[in-house]
Amino acid sequence: MKVVAVENFADPSFSADLIGWQKVHGRHVLPWQNTRDAYLIWLSEIMLQQTQVSAVLGYYARFLARFPTLRDLAAAPVEDVMAQWSGLGYYTRARNLHKCAQRVVAEYDGVFPSDPLLLAELPGIGRSTAAAIAAFSSGRRAAIMDGNVKRVFARVFGIDTYPGERKTEEAMWRRAEALLPEVGIESYTQGLMDMGATLCTRSSPSCERCPMQPRCVAFATSRTKDLPVRKPKKATPEKHAVMLAIVDNGQVLLEQRPPSGIWGGLLSLPELDGHVAAEDDEVAPADDDALLRAVGKFGEMESCERLSTVTHVFTHYKLHIAPYRVTLAKRLPMAAESGHVWLDAARIADAALPAPIKKLLLELVGDSREAQQRMF
């Protein structure tokens, strides 16, 4: 007869120790804490996906100043939402944020549901984010499982397989459910986040201050550098793109990118051939005839100058941008449906542009009106 091992992940002392530590040493004054307002909590959780607290703080304050309520966000044009998000990265989050706000207004009369299963059905809210929102806004017992939690679990319990592997992740979820406390879910949930962010960090964890040190397998076996097991590395693909900074009379030509894909829904510079796979970081000069054809749709070229290559690293490839500054001798009218717009140089800083494109254009413009006239 085959013997099946039975998992026994329950351990009330784990949650008790974590809650006790969080109440004394955890974070308590972040702008989205000490509230039951689901809108404030939801916004912070979406912004904090794959982004550190230090980077989120400024965006969070500015976003709320522009969209103080869920209904304000739902009623706003998506272009305004993207502009406020510009520079924070992972722009699908911003599009889903807008869609989610509209869904909550339409389906729940502007009030987020407290059931994590219903929350997880909304755009941009997965299982872990739904649990965090439910725990902080209504005290619901639900397990989170973000990167910080995976790291804490892998070290404390000595999990020596890659957390992104399906079998390992499913076991981690079962452990997370079994460890939930009967009371104090808010402090417990925040404690997991705080431990991963401030003590059990990816590099140089502060084991000497960690409440889990006596039970931590990684500490006992000197494997904190080895756990969690890292995903096997793959070479980062290289891609090239030729972009046109077409300027005329104090304005720059921008095009609306498709709603999905890289920089989806943002304004950006026109490109010759998209993002093309390459072997290295050396971008070949653009073909003169191709440049003339591309620019010819918008006007008569007066001059063209190749600028320094700009490199931007996405999660799945590295993009080397070869920008060309093109000045026009004569501008042609554009059809309304062309997907292009002329933007005043003074509005670049507030436009919904990808971070590397905004940086490039701001460097072109400079800080002074004289520089604008000179460069544009």
Side-chain angles (χ1 to χ4, degrees):
M1 182 178 71
K2 183 178 179 181
V3 178
V4 179
V6 178
E7 296 173 326
N8 183 19
F9 293 143
D11 182 0
S13 65
F14 177 87
S15 60
D17 289 346
L18 184 60
I19 290 171
W21 171 83
Q22 199 282 328
K23 288 184 176 180
V24 177
H25 301 288
R27 298 177 292 189
H28 300 276
V29 295
L30 295 172
W32 46 83
Q33 292 181 314
N34 307 307
T35 181
R36 289 288 195 184
D37 189 329
Y39 174 59
L40 303 181
I41 294 165
W42 162 71
L43 177 60
S44 72
E45 290 298 325
I46 301 301
M47 285 189 167
L48 288 167
Q49 290 172 352
Q50 299 174 295
T51 308
Q52 293 183 344
V53 168
S54 57
V56 165
L57 288 171
Y59 280 92
Y60 185 79
R62 290 190 294 272
F63 204 91
L64 284 178
R66 174 62 181 82
F67 312 110
T69 70
L70 181 75
R71 292 185 183 277
D72 291 325
L73 176 58
V78 68
E79 293 80 11
D80 288 1
V81 179
M82 301 302 290
Q84 291 297 318
W85 196 275
S86 179
L88 196 55
Y90 301 99
Y91 292 98
T92 298
R93 294 183 296 172
R95 291 191 294 275
N96 282 334
L97 198 79
H98 191 241
K99 292 176 184 176
C100 182
Q102 294 179 326
R103 282 271 301 274
V104 174
V105 168
E107 298 177 17
Y108 297 101
D109 195 26
V111 179
F112 279 94
S114 60
D115 186 340
L117 293 178
L118 294 177
L119 285 168
E121 294 176 355
L122 294 170
I125 301 181
R127 180 179 177 182
S128 183
T129 300
I133 296 169
F136 291 134
S137 65
S138 57
R140 294 289 293 264
R141 289 179 71 252
I144 64 168
M145 182 59 64
D146 61 8
N148 282 335
V149 178
K150 288 180 179 179
R151 185 166 59 253
V152 170
F153 280 9
R155 287 175 175 165
V156 172
F157 301 109
I159 301 170
D160 56 6
T161 50
Y162 172 54
E165 183 182 272
R166 182 177 178 180
K167 185 177 180 181
T168 302
E169 186 170 27
E170 289 176 349
M172 281 186 163
W173 271 111
R174 292 194 295 273
R175 184 185 295 275
E177 296 282 356
L179 290 172
L180 287 174
E182 291 298 325
V183 294
I185 187 65
E186 299 92 332
S187 293
Y188 175 78
T189 303
Q190 188 64 53
L192 283 175
M193 296 176 175
D194 291 349
M195 267 198 64
T198 65
L199 293 184
C200 197
T201 54
R202 185 176 286 107
S203 58
S204 304
S206 300
C207 299
E208 70 282 357
R209 297 190 291 121
C210 181
M212 298 300 163
Q213 189 208 87
R215 71 175 78 227
C216 181
V217 174
F219 180 79
T221 58
S222 301
R223 288 189 294 159
T224 54
K225 292 184 178 179
D226 302 322
L227 298 178
V229 173
R230 290 168 175 76
K231 183 179 181 179
K233 284 190 175 181
K234 295 182 180 179
T236 304
E238 310 270 349
K239 293 190 178 184
H240 293 171
V242 174
M243 296 190 181
L244 306 178
I246 303 175
V247 296
D248 178 61
N249 195 29
Q251 295 181 318
V252 60
L253 181 71
L254 300 171
E255 68 176 8
Q256 186 86 44
R257 293 189 65 84
S260 60
I262 295 299
W263 297 331
L266 298 182
L267 293 170
S268 188
L269 295 174
E271 300 175 8
L272 281 192
D273 298 303
H275 299 184
V276 181
E279 297 296 326
D280 53 36
D281 59 358
E282 291 296 326
V283 187
D287 178 77
D288 289 343
D289 290 338
L291 278 172
L292 284 171
R293 286 196 299 271
V295 175
K297 295 182 292 184
F298 309 106
E300 181 183 335
M301 183 189 298
E302 180 177 74
S303 65
C304 181
E305 176 189 1
R306 165 73 183 269
L307 305 175
S308 299
T309 298
V310 175
T311 298
H312 182 71
V313 181
F314 297 102
T315 54
H316 50 298
Y317 68 89
K318 185 182 294 185
L319 179 65
H320 304 287
I321 302 169
Y324 285 77
R325 183 176 63 218
V326 177
T327 56
L328 297 181
K330 181 181 179 181
R331 182 194 300 188
L332 294 177
M334 295 185 301
E337 64 274 11
S338 70
H340 294 82
V341 61
W342 286 99
L343 185 73
D344 291 338
R347 296 178 57 197
I348 290 172
D350 298 322
L353 296 164
I357 305 304
K358 180 176 289 188
K359 181 180 178 182
L360 168 66
L361 291 177
L362 287 175
E363 289 176 352
L364 268 179
V365 171
D367 296 327
S368 67
R369 183 173 298 276
E370 292 75 13
Q372 291 183 21
Q373 294 300 322
R374 182 171 67 254
M375 304 306 285
F376 281 70

